[in-house]
Structure formats: C-alpha cells, structure tokens
Amino acid sequence: MGPVAKSSNPEPRPTRCADGRLPVVKLRELLLQEYRSIRNLRIRLEQVNVVIGPNGCGKTNLYQGLRLLSAAAGGELSRRLGREGGLGSALWAGQRRKGPVRLVIGATVDEFEYQIALGLPPPPDPYDPNATKFALDPEVKEEHLWVRERGRKHGLLERRGPTAFARDAEGMRVPYPLAFAQGESVLSELREPHRFPVLSTVHQEVLRWRFYHDFRTDAASPIRQPQVGVRTPALSHDGEDLAAALRTIIEIGDVEKLYSTVARAFPGAELEIQTDPQTFQVLLKMPDFHRPFDAKELSDGTLKFLCLAAALLSPRPPAFLALNEPEASLHPSLLVPLADLIVSAGRRSQVWVTTHSEVLARHIAETKDARLIELEKVQGETRVVGQGLLGDVEIEE
C-alpha cells in the first residue's frame, strides 16, 4: 500500500455517535503476513467466527497474531514477541518475496483500517561499548491508520521509522508531538486523546478486546483459593478472580442464564458464592451430597467451564472476545452448553473461537451470523480452505 498523500487541507471526519464517541464496532478483516506458518492471510470476519483445522495447520498462530494486534495497542508488542524468541523467531521461515523482511499485522475495524509493519533491527556494532543489548526488540518500519468515507480512503496516521504524522481534531495533518519507542506502536504512546480523537477511539476499542487462552486449574491455582471480593464485571485473562466475576453476574448480570447454564452442564447442581467481608469462594452443590464442594474439590473441567461461563456472560461485554481451544479438558457433555454460551455472547460481542472440536464448531456454526474458517497447511504455509493465494501487501520504504 502506498504512502498517505500529504495535504494541508483537513480531511472529512467520520460521523460521531449520539454520545459523541466515534463509532468503532466490528473487526471486519484481519491481515497477517510473514508470521510463523502464515505467509500471507487476509480473512473476512463475521459476528461469530469459528476457526478449525487439523493439528499443526496454524490455528494457534492465527490466534496469536490477533494478540499481537492487541499488544501493539497496549504497548506490549516487544515483550510479547520477546516471549516468542524475538522477531527473528516469529518470522515466516519459508521462501520470501524480494525486498525487506517484514512482519505485517493489519485490521479493518468498521470504517477504519490499521496496519503496522515490523522489521529486524540492524545488528549492533561489536566494537561499540554503548551498543544496545536489547536484540529481541523489533523495529516498527511503518504504521498507518486510514478511514474510508464516501468511497474514499483518508490517512489519519502515517509513520515511517522514527517520524509520524497524524490528523488532529480539526482534520489537519500535523507532526506527531511525542517521541515513541522504536519497537512499539504510535497508538500505545497516545497522550493527547482530545487532540487526536480518532486515534484515541481506535486505541481504546482494541484495548477492550479480551483473550482467553488457558485457565490454571492445578492445586496451587488462584482459582481454587478464596479470592478478594471486589466487583468484577470482566473476568481476568487467567480466571484468577472467578468467584468475584460470578458474584458480579449474580448481582448485575444475566443471573438466570448463569444458573440455567450451570444446571444444564451439571444436572442437579446449584452454584453458590460463599462470601465474607473480604474474600469470596466458589461453591457447587451437587445432588446426593449433603454439603457443597468448594473450588479446591472441583474437577479441572468443571472449574474451566465455570471460567468460560464467567467470561462469556460478562456484564461488561467487550467489542471483541477470543477463545483459543476452549474445549480442552472439558467432558464431551459440556460442549453443547458451551456452544450455547458462545452463541449467546455473540449477540453482545464479536466472538472468535479456535477449536479442534467438530461438535463445538458445528453447533456454533448453526447460527446465521457465524462463519466457519477452515485452515489447511500447504507446503508449510497456513491457508484458508477455498481461498486462493493472495498478492503481498506493498509496504513502501
């Protein structure tokens, strides 16, 4: 994609909502290029998206690519890539196109299109005692944000290396006034939201995305211990505040859906949250037993299902919610109740589910707003079944 045209004239600005907020609602398209097994994928998304495919086809890579997009907004891009061994380890290892090596992450969120291109930093001078030792940090080579309005594409943010320009509240193209880290996005360094309202809106929307990959259920897991009792409208990514999140749903959320889901998943069971002035604890009354079981006594699958229920019934639903292999460690009898929870959550949030379970995928895909995305691996490259090869995104130097 070419550079944003330079102009001193203000561009049209998108229409605001009644509350003054700029409208950002749905992730319509995801772009990943040169990331692990993904050489070049552009995927159109619906309200509920189910990603399936055989082991090793790249499902988790696609999920992790989404997380990189969120990390870019949150100032965690270098750290997250560092956990993967740095950009050098995360890059596509197959045959590359000519030109600079770039990991490209992009997304279309309603009328906004965002794209960031990462490259390897130059090797440090071995004879320079002051050369940086942070070899895992990537370099942001380019970063762009556009808005489509009346069939035209207008630049809102343009970054090339250490220099960036942005459209301010008056629609004027101005130099971005703050310094930013070479390995982090401009969005994560936003300090004047009133001056750059569109950038602020996109930034805040992406930060509200939630990702649930795994819940610790070992004996030492915080989920099995009494937890601090504070109102928790959104379950943490690791589920450590499960008791408080469930109690919040009971008080201000869809308590009928919560109770009916528990009864459907565990026939005859009743959920309780034991409370004292400081801590909460999950209890589950089971038929034929004279006392309830606390979290220390519940099975891994039972605890994980309760975590998923708390995440999907959040009283503060996010714009986008992603689950990676939620069926892991669940009994097959829990898959249909889980699918029902996911479909229900899809009425309030856009949902992404990566799964190995054909049963779960089939039940979710029955809803009219769901899309089944089947992946395959061809000569080491992750592709969407039925989607031809795509041309590479052009990032100008």
Side-chain angles (χ1 to χ4, degrees), residues 177-252:
L178 299 175
F180 36 83
Q182 69 174 18
E184 298 297 340
S185 75
V186 171
L187 290 182
S188 68
E189 302 291 339
L190 191 63
R191 297 292 182 271
E192 298 180 278
H194 62 285
R195 187 177 179 190
F196 302 100
V198 179
L199 299 187
S200 176
T201 298
V202 174
H203 176 233
Q204 291 301 319
E205 286 291 336
V206 176
L207 284 182
R208 289 182 62 236
W209 293 0
R210 293 185 205 147
F211 296 85
Y212 295 101
H213 177 70
D214 192 24
F215 301 108
R216 273 187 57 196
T217 55
D218 58 89
S221 168
I223 299 175
R224 294 189 180 275
Q225 318 305 320
Q227 303 156 18
V228 175
V230 296
R231 184 163 289 173
T232 306
L235 183 74
S236 64
H237 73 279
D238 58 2
E240 67 175 7
D241 46 12
L242 173 63
L246 290 172
R247 181 63 204 179
T248 303
I249 294 171
I250 291 170
E251 292 193 8
I252 64 171

Side-chain angles (χ1 to χ4, degrees), residues 30-32 38 40-43 62 382-384 387 390:
L30 172 68
L31 167 70
L32 279 173
I38 300 169
N40 189 13
L41 276 185
R42 188 186 293 272
I43 301 177
L62 198 54
T382 297
R383 299 183 190 173
V384 176
Q387 178 175 294
L390 301 177

Side-chain angles (χ1 to χ4, degrees), residues 26-39:
K26 182 182 288 188
L27 177 60
R28 300 192 180 278
E29 193 174 73
L30 172 68
L31 167 70
L32 279 173
Q33 196 174 73
E34 304 284 336
Y35 178 61
R36 295 201 173 276
S37 66
I38 300 169
R39 191 191 67 82

Side-chain angles (χ1 to χ4, degrees), residues 337-386:
L338 174 59
D340 180 61
L341 276 175
I342 291 170
V343 171
S344 179
R347 301 187 186 106
R348 305 180 302 154
S349 304
Q350 189 177 12
V351 179
W352 171 288
V353 181
T354 301
T355 181
H356 287 105
S357 171
E358 292 185 6
V359 173
L360 181 64
R362 184 176 68 252
H363 280 277
I364 298 172
E366 288 176 354
T367 181
K368 66 177 182 178
D369 294 323
R371 185 185 180 206
L372 200 63
I373 303 169
E374 185 177 358
L375 301 183
E376 61 181 349
K377 186 175 278 189
V378 180
Q379 298 179 342
E381 178 183 344
T382 297
R383 299 183 190 173
V384 176
V385 174

Side-chain angles (χ1 to χ4, degrees), residues 11 46 101 142 157 160 163 204 222 248 274 287 349 384 390:
E11 298 285 2
E46 300 295 343
V101 177
E142 292 203 27
L157 169 68
R160 295 181 183 277
T163 305
Q204 291 301 319
T248 303
Q274 185 180 69
S349 304
V384 176
L390 301 177

